[in-house]
Amino acid sequence: MTATLQQPNSSWTLLQKILFRFFFIYFILYTSPWDTLNIIPGISYLTDLYNQAFEWAVIKSNEHLFKVFGVKHVQQVFNGSGDTSFAWAANYFMLAVAAIGAFIWSLVDRKRKSYRQLNYLLCLFIRYSLALIAFGYGISKVFALQMPFPMLSNLATPLGDLLPMRFSWLFIGYSTPYEVFSGVMEVLVAVLLLYRRTATLGTLVATAVFINVMMLNLCYDIPVKLYSMNLVLLCLYLVANEYQRMACFFVLNKPAPCCSVYDQPLTKKWMRISRIVIKLGIVFLLCKSFYDELQFYREYSTIKFHKDFKPGVYDVTQYVVNKDTLPPLLTDSIRWKDVIIENNSFGSINTADTLLRRRYGRGYFSFTVDTLQPIIHFKKTMQGNDLFSFRYQLPDSNTIQFWGKKQNDSLYIELKRSARHFQLAEKQFHWLSEANR
């Protein structure tokens, strides 16, 4: 888009009109604003039908046309990754629909001189969408919840065993001030984008913030690459609507005209009321996001470890299987070598046992405790079924003894709390450093 889009009575070039039609269709498809209507009773039935039809169209179009990254058969999965083959196929499908739609739109509406009013609504929609997204991510970082400080299990994992994404997550989570600073910048984006007078500044800050996020995702193989690239594209669309005045101010050293992209005259009373209602709705969503994060922070900060299982690193001093004591041999990958207990009913074991949830060379577990028995129940996840259960006793404050059945084996395990110390957990900071440490 060029600055001519901002002039009320000017005609757009053919390229401007084609690009607008393409991006209008693509952004609406990508953001899927109708999903927010699910709060209205009965609407969810229609949106579910749309989502089912969309999923079917993506699967079929990829099977016969796209075959993203050589994958012919894709399925919708929800596993935390935004870069699944289905996600890429869906993005290809939306781009194709936008291109076809823009072509048809250009044929049937070729006499239109401009889309100033529709572009105003699209820019407004993009502004508010980016504000909500930036605030959601930002407030989570302000409370240092998105990337928490590395757990003991993370600190005990050899650096070379970490995947790039986990490495970057721990790098940010290690420094709470840096994470909070990142969150403040994203919250600032949301605040600036809410108001017309600060929307241009908000657009520039949002572009810088989301480009940084995109580069982190691309360079550290974080599986939100596709999403972050689309966020940058949304920002660049807003920048493109003001590129001439920005060029005048930042590059050409010329007087920059006022921004008129968001100065749409609201001649009807219902238009003015609608703008107020929408703005209040956005503010309400931001407040709700803040409240939800605050509640989660309160719950997270008040987590207390179980009185019988103090957080720490425990060495396995005895490991007996079917009354046969196994020595701590380096060649035995199944034998437990050490156990780490976190302060949130989670832990990990230095073992290659696939019964546990394998991550970065360790077996992760969650646990619940019945102190009346007393029995500890090991699970893959907090909501999962028990993997195995052991009776336990505490001979002293630094020793835990387990015994019971694990699959077909009878086990007796003794743990001794280690004095192992991790320098990284000290959160060191020095104004003065006489040598490179």
Side-chain angles (χ1 to χ4, degrees), residues 276-296:
I276 295 173
V277 170
I278 292 172
K279 182 66 70 68
L280 290 176
I282 297 297
V283 172
F284 169 77
L285 292 175
L286 296 180
C287 293
K288 183 178 183 301
S289 179
F290 173 82
Y291 176 78
D292 291 342
E293 289 297 329
L294 178 61
Q295 290 299 103
F296 183 67

Side-chain angles (χ1 to χ4, degrees), residues 89-106:
N91 212 86
Y92 281 28
F93 175 75
M94 288 183 286
L95 288 170
V97 171
I100 296 170
F103 176 75
I104 297 173
W105 190 352
S106 298

Side-chain angles (χ1 to χ4, degrees), residues 122-156:
L122 179 60
C123 289
L124 197 65
F125 173 73
I126 292 174
R127 271 178 51 203
Y128 288 160
S129 296
L130 288 173
L132 289 171
I133 293 167
F135 189 86
Y137 280 109
I139 201 65
S140 181
K141 291 185 181 74
V142 167
F143 287 112
L145 293 174
Q146 186 178 3
M147 292 95 163
F149 188 81
M151 300 187 301
L152 285 173
S153 298
N154 302 135
L155 296 174

Side-chain angles (χ1 to χ4, degrees), residues 62-263:
N62 183 76
E63 183 178 337
H64 298 288
L65 183 61
F66 305 126
K67 300 177 185 177
V68 293
F69 298 102
V71 179
K72 182 178 181 181
H73 301 288
V74 298
Q75 292 295 326
Q76 174 72 290
V77 293
F78 300 97
N79 55 13
S81 172
D83 293 336
T84 62
S85 56
F86 179 89
W88 279 97
N91 212 86
Y92 281 28
F93 175 75
M94 288 183 286
L95 288 170
V97 171
I100 296 170
F103 176 75
I104 297 173
W105 190 352
S106 298
L107 290 179
V108 301
D109 197 24
R110 57 184 178 275
K111 294 183 180 181
R112 176 84 61 172
K113 291 184 178 181
S114 69
Y115 294 94
R116 175 176 166 76
Q117 292 181 336
L118 201 55
N119 184 60
Y120 161 77
L121 293 175
L122 179 60
C123 289
L124 197 65
F125 173 73
I126 292 174
R127 271 178 51 203
Y128 288 160
S129 296
L130 288 173
L132 289 171
I133 293 167
F135 189 86
Y137 280 109
I139 201 65
S140 181
K141 291 185 181 74
V142 167
F143 287 112
L145 293 174
Q146 186 178 3
M147 292 95 163
F149 188 81
M151 300 187 301
L152 285 173
S153 298
N154 302 135
L155 296 174
T157 301
L159 181 64
D161 287 343
L162 295 173
L163 293 173
M165 172 190 170
R166 187 56 48 192
F167 179 71
S168 68
W169 227 246
L170 299 177
F171 148 73
I172 297 174
Y174 164 79
S175 176
T176 301
Y178 177 76
E179 182 176 359
V180 171
F181 167 76
S182 302
V184 168
M185 293 305 296
E186 291 176 339
V187 169
L188 178 63
V189 165
V191 174
L192 292 174
L193 286 174
L194 282 183
Y195 302 98
R196 283 175 292 170
R197 292 186 178 183
T198 58
T200 300
L201 179 58
T203 298
L204 293 173
V205 178
T207 304
V209 166
F210 285 125
I211 284 178
N212 179 62
V213 172
M214 180 185 71
M215 293 309 297
L216 277 172
N217 293 341
L218 292 173
C219 298
Y220 286 88
D221 193 30
I222 301 173
V224 208
K225 306 176 193 68
L226 192 57
Y227 182 59
S228 60
M229 286 190 288
N230 276 288
L231 290 182
V232 171
L233 186 60
L234 289 168
C235 292
L236 292 178
Y237 183 86
L238 296 182
V239 170
N241 272 270
E242 302 185 66
Y243 91 90
Q244 283 192 345
R245 60 189 299 267
M246 290 184 182
C248 288
F249 184 84
F250 290 107
V251 181
L252 303 177
N253 195 27
K254 293 181 178 179
C258 295
C259 175
S260 60
V261 177
Y262 309 113
D263 291 333

Side-chain angles (χ1 to χ4, degrees), residues 15-83:
L15 179 60
Q16 288 174 330
K17 290 186 284 187
I18 292 174
L19 287 176
F20 169 79
R21 293 159 183 155
F22 172 83
F23 283 116
F24 182 88
I25 297 172
Y26 176 70
F27 288 150
I28 296 300
L29 285 175
Y30 184 80
T31 55
S32 189
W34 39 82
D35 285 340
T36 60
L37 300 177
N38 285 336
I39 59 174
I40 303 175
I43 295 296
S44 60
Y45 174 76
L46 297 176
T47 56
D48 286 345
L49 286 178
Y50 167 80
N51 290 329
Q52 291 171 13
F54 179 81
E55 182 176 340
W56 176 86
V58 169
I59 291 173
K60 292 301 179 182
S61 62
N62 183 76
E63 183 178 337
H64 298 288
L65 183 61
F66 305 126
K67 300 177 185 177
V68 293
F69 298 102
V71 179
K72 182 178 181 181
H73 301 288
V74 298
Q75 292 295 326
Q76 174 72 290
V77 293
F78 300 97
N79 55 13
S81 172
D83 293 336

